[in-house]
Amino acid sequence: MKHGLLLVDKEGGCTSHDVVQEVRRRIGQKKIGHCGTLDPDATGLLLLTLGRGTRLTRFLIRAPKVYEGDIRFGTATDTYDASGTVTEEASTVGLDTERVAEAMRTFEGDLHQNPPPYCATKVGGVKFYELARRGEAVPEKTKTVHVWSFQPTGGLEGNDLAFRLACSSGTYARSLAHELGRRLGTASHLARLRRTQIGGFNVEQAVRAGEVGAAFDPDRESTSFIPFDAIPLPFEEIRTDAQQERRITHGQTVLVRDARIDEGDWVKVVNGRREFVAVGAVVESLGEDGVRVVQPKIVFK
């Protein structure tokens, strides 16, 4: 069984689950998960966790995301993207790049966002898109997300505008595209979307699902597969000695001296050979000398 992180460049016309199934078939392994879905029409970076790596999904899924794409003004759809049925047509007279860019900046910062009606968000165990397909009202389910940057990457070409979006996990680019048109007094939808970055991982490192065999070829250098021990996590790494490693593997706390970490922080625990031993949490700070009590939460050895 392969253990680690696989970077896949998802193609359009398939779901994220389809990609997982394709990779399972090609490498002959069932234990595979993914860190954040992409809509069927969207393309770009999808992180797949393999083997022991599946236990790290909850840490990787929260990483910030970067997208590029196109917004089309003048029409709105029921799905907020190009796959839906047109629900509104509106004039774009007077729309220019500067005015759109100014409106886009109003979305930056903390944002209270409602998911689009056609999405996998659940209410009472039922997915929004199931309600929408039945013609039932989709409830509001506002959540707070963060947008670091939402900007044009070129000028308006007809009714289309290319953009770049940097945002927190859970942000719906479709909803931003839809709401942007409303703020400008017209209609709009997301015409194209590509995810280019998740945390420190870039789509240029990725491989297409149909070519995943190349990621594991020992005779070829690959950036698309990261072995389990080398998976970077969004928190500090601490190194233990042999005695501490034994305690960690038995679920016992250890004392470490590290000023970079504080009470409540997660840590990646490795041994002297840089093997990934556990994910732990700092449960207590002792004195003023940087001594921390680390409790293992997920043990791999």
Side-chain angles (χ1 to χ4, degrees):
M1 181 180 289
K2 295 175 175 62
H3 307 278
L5 189 64
L6 182 65
L7 281 62
V8 176
D9 186 352
K10 177 188 171 298
E11 300 178 78
C14 63
T15 67
S16 299
H17 182 68
D18 290 338
V19 174
V20 172
Q21 291 291 76
E22 174 74 1
V23 174
R24 282 174 176 161
R25 184 180 67 82
R26 287 186 176 271
I27 70 174
Q29 177 170 317
K30 290 185 177 180
K31 197 171 184 180
I32 299 178
H34 67 78
C35 306
T37 60
L38 280 171
D39 290 332
D41 286 349
T43 66
L45 185 58
L46 192 66
L47 296 184
L48 302 189
T49 48
L50 279 59
R52 288 193 298 271
T54 57
R55 301 179 70 188
L56 301 175
T57 300
R58 62 174 169 145
F59 302 110
L60 296 166
I61 203 170
R62 300 173 184 170
K65 313 291 193 298
V66 177
Y67 300 89
E68 61 179 31
D70 298 315
I71 297 171
R72 182 162 298 156
F73 296 97
T75 54
T77 71
D78 55 358
T79 59
Y80 297 177
D81 63 13
S83 69
T85 301
V86 173
T87 58
E88 180 185 358
E89 295 183 354
S91 172
T92 58
V93 174
L95 208 60
D96 59 49
T97 305
E98 183 177 350
R99 185 179 163 211
V100 175
E102 183 178 352
M104 292 171 81
R105 285 192 292 270
T106 66
F107 289 90
E108 295 177 348
D110 286 337
L111 180 68
H112 301 295
Q113 186 180 61
N114 285 313
Y118 285 85
C119 71
T121 298
K122 292 182 179 181
V123 57
V126 181
K127 295 177 180 178
F128 274 25
Y129 68 75
E130 294 173 337
L131 294 174
R133 286 172 181 169
R134 296 201 297 256
E136 298 179 24
V138 175
E140 290 191 358
K141 195 173 183 180
T142 304
K143 64 176 179 178
T144 301
V145 297
H146 189 86
V147 175
W148 284 280
S149 176
F150 186 34
Q151 300 176 346
T153 56
L156 269 169
E157 295 187 7
N159 285 333
D160 289 2
L161 181 75
F163 71 92
R164 180 181 184 275
L165 167 67
C167 58
S168 64
S169 177
T171 304
Y172 282 96
R174 285 185 286 151
S175 291
L176 292 179
H178 176 81
E179 183 62 28
L180 178 62
R182 294 178 62 182
R183 292 194 185 186
L184 289 164
T186 184
S188 59
H189 67 271
L190 184 66
R192 180 183 67 90
L193 187 69
R194 180 167 176 78
R195 186 157 66 196
T196 59
Q197 192 172 336
I198 300 176
F201 305 106
N202 196 289
V203 71
E204 294 176 357
Q205 301 171 253
V207 65
R208 291 188 177 182
E211 303 167 348
V212 294
F216 306 103
D217 187 341
D219 297 323
R220 296 177 60 178
E221 185 176 349
S222 173
T223 60
S224 54
F225 177 67
I226 301 172
F228 179 71
D229 291 333
I231 295 176
L233 292 175
F235 33 75
E236 297 292 343
E237 177 180 294
I238 61 171
R239 189 179 298 190
T240 57
D241 58 30
Q243 182 179 6
Q244 289 173 318
E245 182 181 357
R246 283 193 296 272
R247 288 185 59 84
I248 286 283
T249 55
H250 286 88
Q252 299 173 326
T253 60
V254 295
L255 299 180
V256 299
R257 190 184 300 274
D258 195 324
R260 298 171 302 167
I261 57 177
D262 210 342
E263 195 169 326
D265 289 350
W266 290 98
V267 290
K268 177 181 179 180
V269 182
V270 301
N271 61 20
R273 298 179 298 279
R274 301 305 298 271
E275 295 170 333
F276 195 170
V277 176
V279 172
V282 181
V283 294
E284 190 177 357
S285 299
L286 302 178
E288 299 179 356
D289 298 327
V291 177
R292 314 295 190 224
V293 181
V294 174
Q295 172 72 58
K297 297 296 184 180
I298 306 173
V299 178
F300 299 108
K301 291 292 183 179

